[in-house]
Amino acid sequence: MPLDLCDISSSSSNRDPLAGLNESSTSGKEPSEYIHIRNQQRNGRKSLTTVEGLGKFDVKKICKILKKDLSCNGTVIDSEELGEIIQLQGDHRAAVAKFLEEQGIARRDQIRQHGA
């Protein structure tokens, strides 16, 4: 079910949270425009999926929805240099990318999946 992006956006105004992302610049895309999805191997079969680059959205709300949709546990980590990072248990790179695209949070060309 599509979400109302005004609820997910960290700003309380009724403006489009993705309005500035469509503007093209002559210097190319900056790394901050990308959403990075990575898989980190823990021990044995266990792994973590990390999602970073969702700075202007309500990351805790997105994490809560992802945990429910993917039937896994997860948390939001605050990093000084990278901002808020979502950590989900298990390898959910494809499902997270599909979710972000379906909900209109990011376009396909803004999502970077790392790893195999």
Side-chain angles (χ1 to χ4, degrees):
M1 87 181 156
L3 299 174
D4 182 16
L5 289 179
C6 293
D7 291 340
I8 293 177
S9 176
S10 60
S11 65
S12 60
S13 65
N14 288 334
R15 63 180 179 82
D16 182 17
L18 299 176
L21 295 178
N22 292 332
E23 298 173 2
S24 61
S25 63
T26 57
S27 63
K29 291 189 177 188
E30 296 180 13
S32 63
E33 288 186 34
Y34 294 120
I35 296 174
H36 297 276
I37 304 172
R38 295 182 173 88
N39 187 41
Q40 294 179 345
Q41 193 67 33
R42 292 188 330 160
N43 49 357
R45 295 175 39 189
K46 309 288 184 183
S47 65
L48 288 176
T49 301
T50 59
V51 183
E52 58 187 66
L54 295 169
K56 64 188 204 175
F57 294 100
D58 187 354
V59 178
K60 292 182 180 179
K61 189 168 186 178
I62 293 172
C63 182
K64 183 178 179 181
I65 295 167
L66 283 170
K67 286 173 20 178
K68 187 172 182 178
D69 286 351
L70 301 174
S71 300
C72 67
N73 199 5
T75 188
V76 175
I77 304 295
D78 287 325
S79 170
E80 282 188 24
E81 56 189 43
L82 300 174
E84 292 182 313
I85 300 171
I86 297 176
Q87 282 188 342
L88 300 169
Q89 290 182 354
D91 186 2
H92 299 289
R93 288 174 292 185
V96 170
K98 182 180 175 186
F99 172 82
L100 295 174
E101 191 173 357
E102 285 177 351
Q103 298 303 321
I105 296 172
R107 295 185 315 269
R108 187 74 189 147
D109 62 337
Q110 294 173 316
I111 299 172
R112 297 288 183 244
Q113 288 189 48
H114 301 277

